[in-house]
Structures are given as C-alpha cells and as structure tokens.
C-alpha cells in the first residue's frame, strides 16, 4: 500500500494538486487495503516469471478538469459493501471514510474482476496542471497516470511475509 500512496503523492505533486494529497492518500489506502483483503495473499513466493503474469491489484489516477479519479482494480468479483459499524466494531470503516472524503465513489464488475473508483475535487483546478482532455474526447476517459502493476505485485508479495 505504501507504493500506491507514494504514486499518488508524486503524481499530485507533478499536477500541482497537493491540496488534496491527504484525502487522496486516505482514499487510495482504503481502496487498496480492501482489494488486498478480497484478493487474498499468495500462499508461496511466486517466481519472477509468475509475477509478470499476475494482475492482483492495479491503481490508476485520472485527471479531469476539476477533479481526480482514483481507480483500484483487482481480480475479485466480490463487490464492496458499505457498512455502518458501531463504536465497538473493529474495522469495516474504510468505505465510510471513502464516502465521506470523496465527492462520489462507486464500483463495477469487469470481465476479470472489479474496479472501485473515487472522485476527489481539486479546489485549485482552474490554475492547476491537471492533464486535460480535448473537447472532442469528452466521452473517452484516458489514464493520465498509472501505477506500475509490477510494483504493486511486489508490494503484495512483500505483504504476505509480514
């Protein structure tokens, strides 16, 4: 998860959108944590060749005109469930934090898993360096930055040892 947080910090810094860094880091941490939990951990140390073919978790950051969208993809078909835990319940607050932090969030199934996303407004977007789409491309969302899936896979392999 530290790789995904580092990716978010570096990209937002490059885009001059550091004012949302805290919110974005919180959101990506919660979404990646959930993805790791439902995807599971690898029972053994995979070989380098096996790591090349695994796609356990992918993080993508999309810059829009006045906001950024954090997307986390994993191979699980299990959809996220928003719970309202009581004060004595341990855990289960991640999506509540995402809902309270993001302007909007959601999820959908993909042919090989699911994608969970959260949109965070950027207050200084009018003067920021957020990547912008041309008007003719309004219906197409293209990634502005993508975390290297290999790094995230390495992180997951490292997490299983903890």
């Amino acid at each position: 998860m530290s790789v995904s947080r580092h990716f978010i910090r570096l990209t937002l810094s490059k885009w001059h959108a550091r004012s949302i860094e805290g919110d974005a880091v919180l959101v990506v941490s919660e979404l990646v944590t959930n993805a790791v939990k439902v995807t599971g951990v690898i029972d053994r140390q995979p070989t380098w060749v096996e790591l090349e073919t695994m796609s356990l978790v992918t993080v993508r950051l999309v810059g829009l005109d006045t906001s950024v969208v954090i997307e986390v993809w994993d191979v699980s078909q299990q959809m996220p469930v928003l719970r309202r835990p009581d004060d004595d319940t341990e855990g289960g607050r991640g999506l509540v934090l995402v809902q309270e932090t993001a302007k909007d969030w959601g999820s959908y199934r993909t042919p090989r898993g699911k994608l969970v996303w959260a949109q965070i407004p950027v207050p200084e977007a009018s003067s920021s360096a957020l990547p912008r789409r041309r008007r003719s491309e309004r219906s197409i969302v293209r990634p502005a930055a993508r975390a290297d899936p290999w790094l995230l896979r390495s992180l997951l392999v490292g997490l299983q040892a903890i």
Side-chain angles (χ1 to χ4, degrees):
M1 282 155 289
S2 64
V3 172
S4 61
R5 290 190 299 262
H6 186 66
F7 163 69
I8 294 294
R9 284 186 189 107
L10 285 176
T11 304
L12 291 177
S13 176
K14 180 179 177 181
W15 291 351
H16 305 286
R18 294 198 69 173
S19 66
I20 65 163
E21 183 180 303
D23 289 346
V25 166
L26 172 69
V27 167
V28 79
S29 293
E30 295 302 334
L31 296 182
V32 170
T33 297
N34 289 347
V36 170
K37 283 180 183 176
V38 299
T39 301
V41 294
I42 302 165
D43 291 334
R44 59 182 177 75
Q45 286 286 353
T47 66
W48 285 106
V49 173
E50 290 171 323
L51 277 176
E52 295 277 326
T53 61
M54 290 180 177
S55 295
L56 299 177
V57 175
T58 300
V59 174
R60 185 170 86 154
L61 188 62
V62 179
L64 303 177
D65 289 340
T66 59
S67 62
V68 297
V69 177
I70 298 168
E71 297 177 339
V72 177
W73 176 88
D74 64 66
V75 296
S76 171
Q77 289 285 326
Q78 183 180 342
M79 298 302 284
V81 177
L82 181 63
R83 295 188 176 97
R84 297 285 181 188
D86 60 31
D87 292 340
D88 296 329
T89 305
E90 241 184 80
R93 291 173 177 77
L95 288 178
V96 173
L97 290 172
V98 170
Q99 184 176 38
E100 291 176 2
T101 304
K103 175 183 176 184
D104 198 9
W105 76 278
S107 61
Y108 57 89
R109 284 190 170 86
T110 66
R112 295 182 57 211
K114 73 169 171 309
L115 187 133
V116 184
W117 59 271
Q119 182 178 10
I120 301 174
V122 180
E124 70 277 11
S126 60
S127 63
S128 76
L130 287 176
R132 302 199 188 277
R133 296 176 289 159
R134 287 182 256 149
R135 293 206 185 273
S136 62
E137 298 177 307
R138 285 222 180 259
S139 62
I140 302 170
V141 176
R142 294 199 173 124
R146 183 182 298 235
D148 184 343
W150 185 88
L151 289 174
L152 291 175
R153 280 184 241 124
S154 299
L155 169 67
L156 293 175
V157 171
L159 286 176
Q160 75 172 356
I162 295 174

